[in-house]
């Protein structure tokens, strides 16, 4: 895969979700701040793995480190860097062993709109994506993401300050 796709998502991406593409099968749809979207011919899990590799982390490392903090073993938000946290939501019913999880940048979420007791629309600046969770769960995931971001800052901030000031030197 071309790393420019990962870098483009990191600069203007809002969400990526698994989709069943015609004549391609299981693919990933990327949504961007400018209102555009792009379909990549790869699985959503593969795109997530590339994104995490870019930051030198993994789903299991984040689950082990931050899952206990928020009391979760599944659907644990993933912090990539300062202000970059991915929140997992179920976005579709899988066929076979397909993934059902889409990943949302926490800072891009504007609002939630309850459709039914277990269907909510996540409002982004330019897009609306339906998820298969209650509105309460969606807010809890956002809260968990903020908590994990704060913990990440507590862990990395002392090193970051030393690095920033030693460079100016």
């Amino acid at each position: 895969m071309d790393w420019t796709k990962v870098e483009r998502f990191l600069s203007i991406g809002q969400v990526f979700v698994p989709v069943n593409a015609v004549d391609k099968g299981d693919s990933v749809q990327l949504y961007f701040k400018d209102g555009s979207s792009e379909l990549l011919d790869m699985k959503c899990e593969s795109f997530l793995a590339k994104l995490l590799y870019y930051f030198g982390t993994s789903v299991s490392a984040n689950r082990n480190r931050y899952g206990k903090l928020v009391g979760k073993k599944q659907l644990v938000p993933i912090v990539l860097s300062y202000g970059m946290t991915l929140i997992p939501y179920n976005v579709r019913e899988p066929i076979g062993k397909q993934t059902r999880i889409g990943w949302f940048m926490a800072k891009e979420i504007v609002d939630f709109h309850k459709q039914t007791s277990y269907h909510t629309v996540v409002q982004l600046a330019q897009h609306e994506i339906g998820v298969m969770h209650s509105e309460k769960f969606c807010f809890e995931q956002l809260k968990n993401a903020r908590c994990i971001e704060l913990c990440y800052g507590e862990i990395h901030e002392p090193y970051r300050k030393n690095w920033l000031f030693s460079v100016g030197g």
Side-chain angles (χ1 to χ4, degrees):
M1 183 181 112
D2 188 4
W3 287 104
T4 57
K5 303 290 185 191
V6 169
E7 290 169 347
R8 181 170 185 238
F9 180 80
L10 291 172
S11 64
I12 63 169
Q14 292 186 308
V15 61
F16 60 95
V17 297
V19 294
N20 289 318
V22 177
D23 296 329
K24 291 184 181 184
D26 205 12
S27 300
V28 63
Q29 184 82 38
L30 310 178
Y31 292 91
F32 302 104
K33 293 178 190 177
D34 62 3
S36 66
S37 65
E38 182 177 356
L39 182 69
L40 298 182
D41 190 16
M42 67 185 317
K43 292 184 177 185
C44 192
E45 303 101 319
S46 300
F47 184 76
L48 176 63
K50 294 279 187 191
L51 192 62
L52 295 178
Y53 182 80
Y54 188 87
F55 284 94
T57 189
S58 67
V59 173
S60 61
N62 273 270
R63 185 182 304 131
N64 291 336
R65 179 175 287 155
Y66 301 113
K68 293 174 186 149
L69 179 69
V70 294
K72 295 176 72 76
K73 292 184 180 180
Q74 300 294 320
L75 298 177
V76 177
I78 296 176
V79 64
L80 301 173
S81 184
Y82 295 97
M84 282 189 175
T85 303
L86 293 171
I87 301 178
Y89 291 114
N90 292 333
V91 295
R92 70 173 180 178
E93 285 294 334
I95 300 171
K97 294 188 179 219
Q98 291 180 331
T99 186
R100 64 176 60 205
I101 301 171
W103 296 87
F104 295 70
M105 286 290 221
K107 67 181 180 182
E108 300 297 331
I109 295 174
V110 176
D111 200 5
F112 299 107
H113 302 289
K114 180 180 176 179
Q115 297 294 305
T116 65
S117 59
Y118 287 100
H119 283 84
T120 303
V121 172
V122 179
Q123 177 71 47
L124 306 163
Q126 298 291 327
H127 303 282
E128 292 183 345
I129 310 287
V131 298
M132 301 169 74
H133 297 286
S134 67
E135 186 179 32
K136 180 183 176 201
F137 179 84
C138 291
F139 277 114
E140 285 174 7
Q141 282 290 82
L142 192 57
K143 178 193 69 148
N144 290 339
R146 300 293 185 231
C147 180
I148 288 171
E149 278 183 20
L150 290 173
C151 183
Y152 178 87
E154 288 292 319
I155 293 169
H156 297 282
E157 189 64 25
Y159 303 108
R160 183 173 169 244
K161 282 183 181 176
N162 290 338
W163 179 78
L164 288 175
F165 291 118
S166 65
V167 172

